[in-house]
């Protein structure tokens, strides 16, 4: 439901131990923009779990990705023969969420 209503997604790999150190930063990012945190469907790939954050517009999703890394995706309604989520051209993070340790 969130992915349908907020189709601009950023998918992050869940680091060992979770996002404990980043949760405050995720909250601050959303609070600065006056938007609630919306999560999409998580997924497993081999042993790695991925978490999706959903945004109402591309600019906000791009800003989140710039700050926290991850892969930028866009939700598309299901159509036979087409995946419900597609990866955008910019797919490699500049920084990974697991390297967001503050000094």
């Amino acid at each position: 439901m969130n992915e349908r209503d907020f189709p601009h997604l950023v998918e992050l790999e869940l680091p060992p131990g979770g996002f404990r150190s980043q949760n405050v930063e995720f909250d601050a990012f959303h609070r600065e923009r006056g938007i609630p945190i919306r999560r999409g469907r998580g997924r497993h790939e081999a042993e790695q779990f991925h978490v999706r954050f959903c945004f109402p517009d591309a600019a906000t999703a791009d800003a989140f990705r710039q700050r926290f890394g991850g892969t930028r995706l866009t939700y598309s309604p299901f159509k036979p023969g087409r995946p419900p989520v597609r990866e955008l051209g910019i797919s490699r993070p500049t920084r990974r969420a697991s390297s967001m340790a503050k000094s």
Side-chain angles (χ1 to χ4, degrees):
M1 186 89 105
N2 277 341
E3 291 181 8
R4 185 192 68 206
D5 296 337
F6 302 90
H8 305 280
L9 314 172
V10 176
E11 185 174 83
L12 299 175
E13 290 182 2
L14 185 67
F19 288 123
R20 290 184 189 136
S21 61
Q22 289 87 24
N23 277 336
V24 171
E25 293 180 58
F26 295 156
D27 289 341
F29 177 90
H30 287 79
R31 194 173 36 258
E32 289 163 7
R33 288 157 179 79
I35 58 174
I37 293 178
R38 304 230 186 246
R39 292 214 172 104
R41 301 178 95 172
R43 70 177 182 89
H44 278 96
E45 183 177 289
E47 297 296 317
Q48 182 63 55
F49 188 73
H50 300 262
V51 176
R52 290 181 183 160
F53 289 84
C54 306
F55 300 95
D57 59 79
T60 305
D62 289 340
F64 186 88
R65 184 188 166 280
Q66 288 273 329
R67 187 160 165 186
F68 300 108
T71 302
R72 181 75 164 74
L73 306 167
T74 300
Y75 172 82
S76 299
F78 177 76
K79 292 184 180 175
R82 188 170 112 192
V85 174
R86 66 181 175 87
E87 190 169 330
L88 297 181
I90 304 170
S91 61
R92 288 295 104 208
T94 52
R95 289 180 5 194
R96 299 196 94 136
S98 60
S99 66
M100 288 296 302
K102 287 218 169 207
S103 321

